[in-house]
């Protein structure tokens, strides 16, 4: 890139933000990247100075970047605490590498690392659950199974550790994709809350950061990135939505931000949230009589151990 940096006028530019027209050098890209995360945390009131924060770290580029960025930001708040949580879903040929990456990153940053697995929590790994679902003719996509149970286990651990906040590395792209997926599935929870009020708060500090920028920041910082892809990724409905939104964003830069702001206008009210029923099996808040976790586990004949 030969044009000058929009901010410092250096001629060593490395990144163009199509939606804002900014052209940036490495230093200004990194600075504005961190600044945006700080702004996101403050705009959505995600954290307080003395919070005990858990970061969900899969070992993928997004979560690894989030861990490093929050570590950098929270260093300025000596009363806060940061720890990492990794869930081993049990996906042969995929999880081993990312788990190793997550362990090494936490060691390097000297961050406490809590690891749990589907096998420990539910009695079966994801690979085994998929086999059971095929034997029982229960149709449930691997990603749905994986996503619902991972979130459930993360919350369980976060509650046990008495965390104030649980941070996930969902980017602007992920969040807009989820809103669209909810529309397409007719999910009554389409109007998800920006920040949950229950303890632990579920927070997404990359909510206003496009995935491309997270990937570029990870590349600039030289984080060790995973080389294998999950074998179940092909089956995900999210792929279709992701491809469509990527193409749309390329043709109409800024569309993802517009979509996010539109969806956020319809955020579920606190009153409505508190009226949600509780699952008759596990007692967790749910818009159904039996929550998705209990439904899945009973269909697969699994007894949770947590
Ligand atoms: Fe889980 Fe699907 Fe991601 Fe694989 S691609 S880790 S199954 S959510
Ligand atoms: Zn339940």
């Amino acid at each position: 890139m030969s044009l000058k940096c929009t901010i410092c006028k250096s001629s060593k530019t490395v990144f163009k933000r199509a939606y804002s027209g900014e052209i940036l050098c490495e230093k200004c890209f990194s600075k504005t990247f961190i600044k945006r995360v700080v702004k996101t945390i403050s705009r959505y009131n995600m954290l307080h100075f003395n919070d005990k924060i858990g970061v969900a770290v899969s070992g993928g580029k997004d979560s690894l970047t989030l861990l490093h960025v929050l570590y950098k930001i929270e260093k300025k708040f000596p009363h806060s605490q940061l720890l990492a949580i990794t869930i081993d879903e049990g996906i042969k040929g995929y999880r081993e590498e990312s788990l190793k990456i997550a362990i090494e990153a936490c060691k390097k940053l000297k961050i406490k690392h809590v690891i749990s697995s589907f096998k420990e929590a539910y009695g079966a790994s994801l690979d085994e659950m998929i086999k059971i679902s095929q034997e029982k003719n229960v149709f449930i996509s691997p990603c749905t199974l994986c996503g619902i149970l991972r979130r459930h286990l993360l919350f369980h651990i976060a509650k046990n550790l008495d965390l104030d906040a649980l941070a996930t590395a969902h980017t602007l792209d992920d969040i807009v994709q989820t809103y669209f997926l909810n529309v397409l599935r007719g999910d009554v929870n389409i109007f998800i809350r920006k920040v949950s009020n229950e303890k632990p708060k579920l927070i997404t500090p990359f909510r206003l950061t496009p995935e491309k920028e997270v990937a570029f920041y990870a590349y600039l910082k030289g984080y060790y990135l995973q080389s294998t892809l999950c074998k179940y990724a092909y089956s995900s409905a999210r792929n279709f939505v992701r491809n469509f939104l990527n193409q749309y964003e390329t043709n109409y830069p800024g569309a993802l931000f517009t979509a996010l702001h539109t969806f956020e206008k319809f955020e579920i009210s606190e009153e409505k949230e508190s009226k949600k029923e509780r699952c008759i099996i596990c007692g967790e808040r749910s818009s159904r009589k039996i929550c998705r976790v209990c439904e899945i586990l009973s269909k697969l004949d699994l007894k949770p151990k947590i």
Side-chain angles (χ1 to χ4, degrees), residues 279-284 289-295:
C279 167
I280 53 170
I281 300 178
C282 69
E284 287 295 325
K289 264 202 169 133
I290 296 178
C291 75
R292 291 280 274 150
V293 174
C294 290
E295 187 189 72

Side-chain angles (χ1 to χ4, degrees), residues 89 91 94 126 142-143 146 150 230 232-233:
E89 301 92 348
I91 305 171
Y94 168 70
L126 185 68
C143 292
C146 181
R150 191 192 315 117
C230 173
Y232 301 119

Side-chain angles (χ1 to χ4, degrees), residues 17 19-20 22 31-41 205 208-210 213 257:
R17 286 194 177 123
Y19 56 86
S20 66
E22 288 168 294
K31 252 191 188 171
T32 50
F33 181 91
I34 300 285
K35 221 168 147 184
R36 180 179 288 159
V37 178
V38 173
K39 209 169 103 186
T40 307
I41 291 172
L208 300 178
T209 304
E213 296 187 32
F257 283 111

Side-chain angles (χ1 to χ4, degrees), residues 66-278:
L66 181 65
L67 183 71
H68 282 84
V69 168
L70 283 183
Y71 174 77
K72 194 176 166 94
I73 295 172
E74 291 305 314
K75 259 205 304 205
K76 296 189 183 131
F77 298 93
H79 294 290
S80 71
Q81 287 177 61
L82 194 67
L83 60 90
I85 310 171
T86 300
I87 307 297
D88 177 1
E89 301 92 348
I91 305 171
K92 213 165 182 309
Y94 168 70
R95 193 33 98 214
E96 299 87 348
E97 186 189 14
S98 51
L99 191 61
K100 204 171 138 222
I101 295 173
I103 292 171
E104 274 165 19
C106 292
K107 233 189 229 166
K108 211 166 137 196
L109 296 175
K110 296 195 175 76
I111 288 177
K112 180 178 167 187
H113 192 192
V114 178
I115 303 172
S116 183
S117 69
F118 278 12
K119 185 93 181 173
E120 280 163 20
Y122 308 114
S125 66
L126 185 68
D127 285 341
E128 289 166 344
M129 287 182 197
I130 289 162
K131 223 169 140 207
I132 298 172
S133 74
Q134 285 162 350
E135 283 161 8
K136 290 188 174 293
N137 272 331
V138 175
F139 179 75
I140 178 155
S141 84
C143 292
T144 306
L145 200 56
C146 181
I148 291 175
L149 296 183
R150 191 192 315 117
R151 188 184 152 103
H152 177 248
L153 186 51
L154 277 169
F155 261 100
H156 173 80
I157 295 170
K159 272 188 191 165
N160 273 357
L161 294 170
D162 197 28
L163 300 183
D164 297 296
L166 174 63
T168 63
H170 293 103
T171 62
L172 169 69
D173 303 50
D174 297 320
I175 287 165
V176 173
Q177 285 160 19
T178 302
Y179 276 121
F180 272 94
L181 278 166
N182 287 351
V183 171
L184 294 169
R185 286 175 183 146
D187 195 324
V188 287
N189 292 324
I190 150 182
F191 304 126
I192 46 181
R193 292 186 64 81
K194 289 173 252 183
V195 175
S196 66
N197 283 336
E198 283 190 84
K199 194 180 165 189
K201 266 188 192 184
L202 180 62
I203 63 163
T204 49
F206 287 158
R207 193 177 181 87
L208 300 178
T209 304
E211 189 176 337
K212 218 191 238 175
E213 296 187 32
V214 175
F216 193 64
Y217 185 87
Y219 161 76
L220 285 181
K221 299 293 166 194
Y223 301 148
Y224 182 76
L225 302 180
Q226 185 167 16
S227 58
T228 44
L229 254 182
C230 173
K231 60 189 169 193
Y232 301 119
Y234 70 92
S235 64
S236 160
R238 185 175 284 271
N239 268 346
F240 295 104
V241 174
R242 179 189 293 122
N243 290 341
F244 160 70
L245 288 173
N246 281 350
Q247 276 183 27
Y248 199 88
E249 176 68 24
T250 306
N251 288 316
Y252 304 100
L256 289 180
F257 283 111
T258 308
L260 179 78
H261 294 143
T262 307
F263 283 122
E264 282 185 345
K265 285 190 189 134
F266 298 101
E267 188 192 13
I268 192 168
S269 71
E270 232 163 275
E271 191 197 350
K272 230 175 168 180
E273 176 103 332
S274 64
K275 276 187 189 152
K276 269 191 184 172
E277 292 180 43
R278 292 207 174 257

